[in-house]
């Protein structure tokens, strides 16, 4: 009970009157515990709350409350009561809307375990809840089936997630390659810029030195010319001044002296005046326009903006389904800022390690970043590499990537197909020299109107054999594809399978040398040749004592029926035997075979049903011309019938922990014809 939160909480301390508790009990109705409440066993509390005993009596009677000093209802201190209240509210409490009371319910019987799953509500429920209104119209399924379905869905999602992880890892690897390529490309460009920059600086410095030296020489030349002209002008000026002073002095002389001196200086003055004085400045002070030739610098500056050779392309890994038996589609990428005029794609078959066997390389020039390479061998690995080209030159070669062509179509062994009403065992030859990753079997119901697409596919088959589950009394067209990393092969040639009865061929590998199996594998003949029998291929599978052969029955449990057409005067044995039946013994002479044997002598027919050389005493009055044989794995029985008169001949009760095979033997010349792939007669279905 909530002792602290409600304003109208119940006072359950011992000093409270019994009347108040009973009034509150009456108000709470069934949700509270009456005075005559039966004993409730409390067994689901934690160990720290069990005060000395596993079970306690919880009764709200005044006598108990007043007659015993139980503290808080006999549960110890207030703190312990608080722990109890909180724990019970968490696990088992039911709250009254008005009083917020939590009452310990009576211990119920163990709940029924949920055993079905409501698909609509997506929750497990008990079988008893299936017909309730909440789930009445809902779709339900057994819990185990729902669990398997959920596991399958999780496995599918995990497979998709793993596939996505692989794709993301490949994408991250590709990004890393592009990142490295971009980094290397920018590094080369930085080095190129730095080299051009240093070259430009060296050229400018050389130009500066040359211009400074030329200006110095020009300056020196002009200054020297002006200085020489200045010296000459000074000398002339001094001479003029000296003549002027002399003439002035002569003017103050006596006439006689003046005349004498004047004659002398007149000649000198005349000569001086006749001398031409250069008053033109030899070097002008203005400067010539010094044009600087930066053509080579401009050429260097222009070379910085010249398109560089492209970086190495990044060849992509082979994409799924990107190949056929004779072609592959190769793709690559390049840094987007690179200018490319064309690509050179080269390839060759992957070396198989044989010494002295060089593979021819093929190179082609293309414009796009993809190419479909044709005329290749099927199921063969090729390594590809690519370079980019522009007017600046070729890029470095990309990393080499291995691509693989799709396989050749497999070859179905139509004559070795075995079938029954529920399944078919298909075998085929790979048709490829190199191994493939897996095979896919595709089935189409031939009798369905307009059925041209695949109705079912069995994928991921690792070997050249597959047991396929089918529908009874149908006809199927079957194809097989081989798969590798390049993709699937083309379809094989079709094979037809009928699920009417059990169909099997005779196994020529078990055939006695004196017997011959027909081409269709359904007739065994013993000829009247008197010469030595043909030499068999050495094998432990051949019968050597009795002239017998075994059939390849499909390894599927259930009921199998076939018929054998016989001659009344023929000595023969028909039945079943395990795979490891001794080849040096007669059929029926051991515990591994169950047979019906007929011998004809002196116009008398003798029939024996042999197992471990023993036979029951059975008389057959009408010699059968066609014997029906029913193998029933489910009931562990082998039955024989006279087909023409619908007569039951005999039934073995036999334990068959392993699969058995039909067996046939001819002791004298003659033939046995097997009829299989037929429906079971109605009179036999009751056995």
């Amino acid at each position: 009970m909530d002792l602290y939160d409600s304003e109208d909480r119940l006072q359950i301390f011992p000093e409270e009157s019994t009347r108040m508790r009973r009034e509150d009990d009456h108000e709470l109705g069934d949700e509270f515990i009456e005075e005559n409440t039966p004993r409730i066993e409390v067994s689901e509390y934690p160990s720290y709350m069990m005060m000395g005993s596993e079970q306690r009596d919880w009764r709200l009677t005044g006598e108990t409350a007043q007659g015993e000093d139980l503290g808080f209802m006999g549960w110890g201190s207030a703190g312990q009561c608080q722990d109890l209240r909180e724990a019970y509210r968490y696990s088992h409490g039911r709250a009254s809307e008005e009083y917020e009371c939590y009452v310990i319910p009576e211990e119920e019987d163990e709940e029924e375990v949920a055993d079905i799953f409501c698909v609509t509500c997506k929750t497990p429920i008990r079988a008893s809840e299936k017909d309730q209104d909440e789930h009445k119209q809902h779709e339900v399924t057994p819990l185990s089936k729902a669990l398997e379905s959920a596991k399958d869905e999780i496995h599918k999602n995990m497979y998709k997630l793993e596939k996505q992880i692989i794709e993301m890892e490949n994408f991250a690897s590709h990004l890393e390659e592009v990142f490295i390529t971009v980094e290397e490309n920018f590094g080369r460009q930085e080095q190129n810029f730095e080299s051009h920059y240093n070259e430009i600086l060296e050229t400018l410095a050389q130009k500066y030195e040359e211009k400074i030296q030329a200006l110095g020489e020009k300056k020196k030349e002009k200054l020297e010319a002006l200085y020489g002209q200045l010296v000459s002008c000074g000398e002339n000026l001094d001479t003029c001044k000296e003549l002027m002073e002399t003439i002035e002095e002569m003017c103050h002389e006596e006439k006689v002296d003046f005349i004498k001196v004047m004659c002398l200086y007149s000649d000198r003055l005349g000569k001086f005046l006749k001398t031409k004085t250069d008053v033109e400045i030899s070097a002008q002070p203005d400067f010539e326009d010094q044009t600087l030739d930066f053509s080579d610098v401009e050429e260097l500056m222009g070379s910085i903006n010249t398109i560089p050779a492209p970086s190495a392309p990044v060849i992509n890994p082979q994409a799924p389904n990107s190949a056929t038996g004779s072609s592959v589609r190769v793709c690559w990428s390049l840094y987007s800022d690179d200018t490319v005029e064309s690509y050179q794609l080269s390839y060759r078959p992957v070396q198989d390690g044989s010494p002295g066997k060089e593979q021819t390389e093929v190179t082609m020039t293309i414009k796009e970043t993809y190419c479909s390479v044709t005329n290749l061998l099927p199921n063969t690995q090729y390594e590809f590499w690519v370079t980019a080209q522009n007017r600046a030159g070729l890029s470095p070669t990309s990393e080499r990537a291995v691509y693989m062509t799709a396989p050749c179509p497999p070859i179905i062994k139509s004559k070795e197909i075995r079938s029954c009403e529920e399944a078919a065992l298909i075998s085929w030859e790979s048709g490829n020299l190199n191994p493939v990753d897996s095979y896919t079997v595709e089935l189409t119901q031939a009798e369905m109107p307009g059925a041209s697409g695949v109705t079912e596919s069995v994928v991921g088959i690792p070997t050249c054999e597959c047991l396929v589950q089918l529908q009874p009394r149908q006809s199927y067209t079957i194809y097989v594809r081989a798969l590798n990393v390049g993709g699937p092969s083309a379809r094989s040639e079709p094979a037809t399978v009928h699920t009417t009865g059990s169909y099997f061929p005779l196994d020529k590998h078990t055939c006695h040398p004196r017997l011959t199996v027909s081409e269709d594998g359904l007739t065994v003949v013993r000829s009247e040749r008197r010469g030595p029998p043909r030499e068999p291929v050495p094998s432990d599978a051949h019968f050597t004592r009795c002239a017998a052969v075994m059939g390849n029955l499909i390894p599927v449990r259930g009921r199998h029926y076939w018929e054998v057409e016989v001659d009344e005067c023929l000595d023969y044995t028909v039945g079943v035997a395990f795979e490891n039946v001794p080849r040096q013994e007669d059929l029926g002479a051991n515990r591994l075979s169950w047979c019906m044997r007929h011998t004809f002598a002196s116009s008398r027919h003798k029939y024996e049903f042999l197992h471990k050389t023993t036979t029951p005493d059975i008389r057959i009055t009408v010699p059968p011309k066609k014997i029906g044989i029913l193998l029933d794995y489910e009931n562990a029985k082998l039955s024989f019938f006279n087909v023409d008169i619908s007569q039951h001949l005999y039934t073995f009760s036999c334990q068959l922990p392993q699969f058995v095979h039909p067996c046939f033997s001819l002791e004298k010349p003659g033939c046995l014809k097997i009829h299989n792939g037929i429906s079971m007669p109605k009179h036999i279905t009751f056995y």
Side-chain angles (χ1 to χ4, degrees):
M1 292 184 296
D2 193 333
L3 306 178
Y4 305 98
D5 298 334
S6 175
E7 294 180 358
D8 300 326
R9 60 183 178 271
L10 300 176
Q11 302 295 327
I12 61 171
F13 295 97
E15 60 269 21
E16 302 264 345
S17 65
T18 305
R19 179 184 55 81
M20 182 179 296
R21 286 197 300 272
R22 290 183 177 175
E23 288 176 358
D24 290 339
D25 292 350
H26 180 70
E27 247 181 314
L28 290 175
D30 294 337
E31 290 196 3
F32 207 83
I33 301 176
E34 297 280 303
E35 179 180 2
N36 296 324
T37 300
R39 178 179 179 180
I40 301 173
E41 296 181 355
V42 182
S43 59
E44 297 183 4
Y45 290 101
S47 57
Y48 71 88
M49 298 178 64
M50 308 306 291
M51 301 301 175
S53 65
E54 293 289 338
Q55 300 174 344
R56 298 295 303 263
D57 289 343
W58 184 295
R59 301 184 183 179
L60 297 179
T61 61
E63 293 80 7
T64 303
Q66 294 177 1
E68 298 178 5
D69 186 10
L70 297 178
F72 283 77
M73 293 301 295
W75 290 92
S77 65
Q80 293 169 337
C81 185
Q82 175 70 7
D83 292 340
L84 171 62
R85 181 178 59 82
E86 292 296 332
Y88 198 79
R89 286 184 63 182
Y90 178 79
S91 59
H92 291 80
R94 289 199 307 267
S96 169
E97 294 181 359
E98 181 179 0
Y99 293 95
E100 298 183 6
C101 295
Y102 286 79
V103 181
I104 302 175
E106 293 187 8
E107 184 178 19
E108 299 177 355
D109 295 334
E110 185 177 355
E111 293 185 356
E112 183 181 354
V113 178
D115 55 358
I116 60 176
F117 183 78
C118 179
V119 179
T120 306
C121 298
K122 299 186 182 303
T123 183
I125 60 174
R126 296 185 293 270
S128 58
E129 299 177 359
K130 181 176 64 174
D131 298 328
Q132 295 181 1
D133 293 340
E134 184 180 357
H135 305 284
K136 191 170 185 180
Q137 301 298 329
H138 292 181
E139 180 184 357
V140 296
T141 185
L143 188 61
S144 59
K145 185 176 180 181
L147 181 60
E148 291 297 327
S149 177
K151 288 181 178 179
D152 292 341
E153 186 67 24
I154 290 175
H155 291 161
K156 291 179 181 178
N157 292 334
M158 289 178 65
Y159 174 76
K160 293 178 181 178
L161 186 59
E162 290 176 357
K163 186 176 180 181
Q164 186 173 357
I165 289 173
I166 294 174
E167 292 177 355
M168 293 302 296
E169 287 178 347
N170 292 336
F171 179 69
S173 177
H174 177 60
L175 283 180
E176 184 178 359
E177 292 176 355
V178 173
F179 179 87
I180 294 173
T181 302
V182 171
E183 187 178 24
E184 292 176 350
N185 184 50
F186 272 98
R188 286 194 297 270
Q189 290 188 359
E190 289 174 0
Q191 293 176 359
N192 191 25
F193 280 132
E194 185 177 358
S195 175
H196 280 75
Y197 176 75
N198 292 333
E199 188 174 357
I200 290 172
L201 289 181
E202 291 177 1
T203 302
L204 287 174
Q206 184 178 356
K207 291 286 183 181
Y208 173 79
E209 293 294 336
E210 291 176 356
K211 290 297 181 182
I212 291 297
Q213 184 177 358
L215 287 174
E217 292 176 355
K218 197 74 174 178
K219 172 184 174 182
K220 180 180 179 182
E221 181 183 352
K222 284 193 173 187
L223 290 178
E224 286 179 351
L226 290 172
Y227 180 76
Q229 193 176 14
L230 181 61
V231 170
S232 176
C233 182
E235 290 176 351
N236 290 334
L237 183 60
D238 291 341
T239 302
C240 289
K241 287 181 178 181
E242 181 183 354
L243 289 174
M244 283 294 294
E245 290 176 357
T246 302
I247 292 172
E248 286 179 357
E249 290 178 358
M250 289 173 54
C251 289
H252 295 289
E253 293 288 338
E254 292 292 332
K255 294 180 179 180
V256 178
D257 295 332
F258 175 77
I259 292 296
K260 291 180 180 180
V261 176
M262 184 63 187
C263 291
L264 294 174
Y265 276 92
S266 292
D267 295 335
R268 182 181 176 187
L269 181 61
K271 290 180 180 180
F272 179 77
L273 292 175
K274 289 179 180 180
T275 303
K276 186 179 179 180
T277 303
D278 187 10
V279 291
E280 294 291 334
I281 298 176
S282 61
Q284 296 296 326
D286 54 329
F287 294 95
E288 297 178 0
D289 185 11
Q290 298 293 328
T291 302
L292 299 178
D293 183 12
F294 286 105
S295 58
D296 49 355
V297 177
E298 291 175 356
E299 183 179 352
L300 289 173
M301 293 294 292
S303 66
I304 296 179
N305 298 322
T306 301
I307 297 173
S311 57
V314 179
I315 195 163
N316 300 339
Q318 184 171 11
N321 303 325
S322 62
T324 66
S326 60
S327 67
V328 293
R329 181 181 173 88
V330 185
C331 301
W332 58 90
S333 57
L334 193 71
Y335 181 58
S336 59
D337 287 347
D338 286 345
T339 300
V340 176
E341 297 176 358
S342 63
Y343 298 94
Q344 291 184 356
L345 177 65
S346 303
Y347 67 92
R348 69 179 181 184
V350 174
Q351 299 282 357
D352 58 2
S354 302
K357 188 178 180 181
E358 290 294 332
Q359 300 291 350
T360 304
E361 294 183 3
V362 180
T363 300
M364 57 182 65
T365 302
I366 47 183
K367 296 289 186 181
E368 297 80 8
T369 57
Y370 60 89
C371 180
S372 293
V373 184
T374 57
N375 299 324
L376 304 178
L377 298 176
N379 200 37
T380 303
Q381 290 183 328
Y382 290 84
E383 56 180 356
F384 290 85
W385 62 97
V386 65
T387 56
Q389 185 177 12
N390 59 18
R391 63 176 178 268
L394 282 173
S395 73
T397 304
S398 69
E399 295 291 333
R400 301 198 175 198
V402 175
Y403 279 57
M404 192 169 190
T405 52
C408 290
I411 303 170
I412 298 179
K413 300 178 182 178
S414 300
K415 295 182 180 180
E416 298 183 13
I417 292 177
R418 295 175 272 171
S419 63
C420 62
E421 293 195 349
E422 297 84 16
L425 184 63
I426 315 297
S427 59
W428 57 86
E429 294 178 356
S430 173
N432 295 274
L433 297 177
N434 298 323
V436 300
D437 294 342
S438 64
Y439 298 92
T440 297
V441 174
E442 300 176 352
L443 308 131
T444 302
Q445 289 193 18
E447 296 182 356
M448 291 181 62
S452 59
V454 176
T455 58
E456 183 180 355
S457 294
V458 182
V459 300
I461 305 169
T463 61
C464 293
E465 188 176 78
C466 179
L467 183 64
V468 184
Q469 300 298 320
L470 303 174
Q471 297 296 324
R473 295 174 294 282
Q474 298 290 334
S475 293
Y476 291 87
T477 302
I478 296 181
Y479 306 88
V480 180
R481 296 181 189 266
L483 287 88
N484 61 15
V485 294
S489 70
R491 279 180 167 183
S492 66
E493 292 296 323
T496 302
V497 173
H498 304 282
T499 55
T500 302
S502 298
Y503 177 84
F504 60 88
L506 295 176
D507 187 359
K508 296 180 181 181
H509 297 92
T510 63
C511 188
H512 188 275
R514 291 190 179 276
L515 299 181
T516 302
V517 177
S518 63
E519 189 66 23
D520 61 3
L522 298 177
T523 302
V524 56
V525 179
R526 180 169 180 171
S527 63
E528 297 184 1
R529 291 178 299 179
R530 298 186 178 182
R534 59 182 174 85
E535 289 295 330
V537 178
S539 172
D540 294 335
H542 287 287
F543 284 94
T544 56
R545 179 179 177 85
C546 64
V549 64
M550 299 182 73
N552 276 329
L553 186 63
I554 186 171
V556 173
R557 294 189 174 273
R559 307 185 86 190
H560 301 277
Y561 177 77
W562 63 94
E563 296 175 354
V564 184
E565 188 176 336
V566 299
D567 190 338
E568 295 182 9
C569 301
L570 185 65
D571 289 356
Y572 59 84
T573 303
V574 294
V576 298
F578 286 113
E579 176 71 26
N580 58 342
V581 64
R583 302 305 199 256
Q584 300 81 19
E585 299 180 9
D586 290 330
L587 295 175
N590 48 62
R591 61 182 181 83
L592 301 178
S593 58
W594 295 261
C595 299
M596 171 184 173
R597 182 166 68 184
H598 170 256
T599 54
F600 181 74
S602 301
S603 302
R604 296 185 60 183
H605 297 276
K606 181 180 179 181
Y607 293 92
E608 298 174 288
F609 296 92
L610 296 170
H611 177 61
K612 295 188 292 187
T613 67
T614 60
T615 179
D617 185 12
I618 294 178
R619 305 296 178 104
I620 297 177
T621 57
V622 180
K625 297 181 180 179
K626 186 179 290 186
I627 300 172
I629 302 174
L630 174 63
L631 173 62
D632 189 349
Y633 279 104
E634 296 176 354
N635 297 310
K637 292 182 179 181
L638 176 68
S639 301
F640 297 87
F641 302 88
N642 187 335
V643 177
D644 294 332
I645 61 175
S646 303
Q647 180 186 25
H648 172 250
L649 301 178
Y650 184 73
T651 296
F652 285 103
S653 294
C654 43
Q655 298 298 323
L656 302 174
Q658 302 174 7
F659 291 106
V660 293
H661 297 280
C663 54
F664 311 90
S665 174
L666 286 170
E667 302 304 327
K668 293 181 180 180
C671 73
L672 296 176
K673 188 172 183 180
I674 295 91
H675 298 270
N676 54 27
I678 57 178
S679 299
M680 191 182 305
K682 292 183 179 179
H683 69 276
I684 294 180
T685 58
F686 299 104
Y687 288 92

